[in-house]
Amino acid sequence: MLVACMVDLHNVGTFNVDTGFKAGYLYELEKMLEKVLPHVMLKAKPNLESMIRTLKSDWAIVYDMLSGKNNSGFGWDEHRQLVVAEDVSHKEADQFKHRNFPYYDQLIAIYAKDRATGKDAQIAVDIIEEIDVEDAATTNTHEERNDF
């Protein structure tokens, strides 16, 4: 129910930011869960905060395995909702080889913008080189205009 309420809150958009939710969303989730599960008495802090931290941490591990740099040998079994891994040593992968993670797809919608995959990552030397190339192109354009 927590993940369902998180998805509903995300779809409404009132508390959305690029990296998840705005401050105060926990109290809104608390109200939503109270309506759906009366008498459960989950409080925003520490109950929901702790549960969401664990969910996000688990999701990030799976997401990084599947979408990150060194993702060779990892896959996602959509039917069983778990990580499929070859005999690869990955300390965090072990817990998800035999345990399903049914909320992965829902959490992608909420947190995927928060994770860098390294796909277009550059080191400082690359960035400086790119700036130098752009500066040279701009200088050449100005010189050509001056010739006319």
Side-chain angles (χ1 to χ4, degrees):
M1 284 313 303
L2 174 61
V3 174
C5 287
M6 288 172 64
V7 169
D8 288 346
L9 188 62
H10 185 265
N11 289 340
V12 169
T14 311
F15 289 91
N16 291 3
V17 292
D18 285 343
T19 58
F21 294 107
K22 291 180 186 176
Y25 81 99
L26 287 172
Y27 298 104
E28 187 64 27
L29 277 175
E30 181 182 318
K31 289 185 233 174
M32 293 170 76
L33 283 169
E34 181 61 34
K35 288 178 187 175
V36 179
L37 302 169
H39 310 295
V40 172
M41 301 188 48
L42 291 172
K43 296 296 175 195
K45 293 187 178 186
N47 306 118
L48 297 180
E49 184 178 46
S50 175
M51 288 181 208
I52 290 170
R53 188 180 308 117
T54 302
L55 269 174
K56 188 174 180 183
S57 173
D58 288 350
W59 172 83
I61 291 167
V62 174
Y63 184 83
D64 289 347
M65 279 190 285
L66 299 175
S67 305
K69 275 186 171 180
N70 299 319
N71 62 352
S72 178
F74 296 103
W76 181 251
D77 183 336
E78 195 68 40
H79 178 69
R80 296 185 305 168
Q81 299 288 299
L82 54 80
V83 172
V84 178
E86 297 173 1
D87 290 334
V88 182
S89 65
H90 193 286
K91 65 179 180 174
E92 294 157 331
D94 289 338
Q95 65 179 318
F96 294 104
K97 283 187 196 177
H98 306 289
R99 187 183 95 193
N100 69 344
F101 191 64
Y103 312 112
Y104 179 72
D105 292 330
Q106 292 93 330
L107 294 174
I108 281 180
I110 298 169
Y111 294 119
K113 291 181 183 178
D114 188 26
R115 302 300 297 176
T117 60
K119 178 182 167 193
D120 295 318
Q122 293 179 314
I123 59 173
V125 174
D126 294 337
I127 295 169
I128 291 169
E129 185 177 302
E130 188 175 304
I131 291 170
D132 288 343
V133 169
E134 289 173 4
D135 286 347
T138 304
T139 303
N140 290 341
T141 304
H142 291 304
E143 289 174 3
E144 288 174 11
R145 287 185 186 157
N146 290 337
D147 288 345
F148 293 112

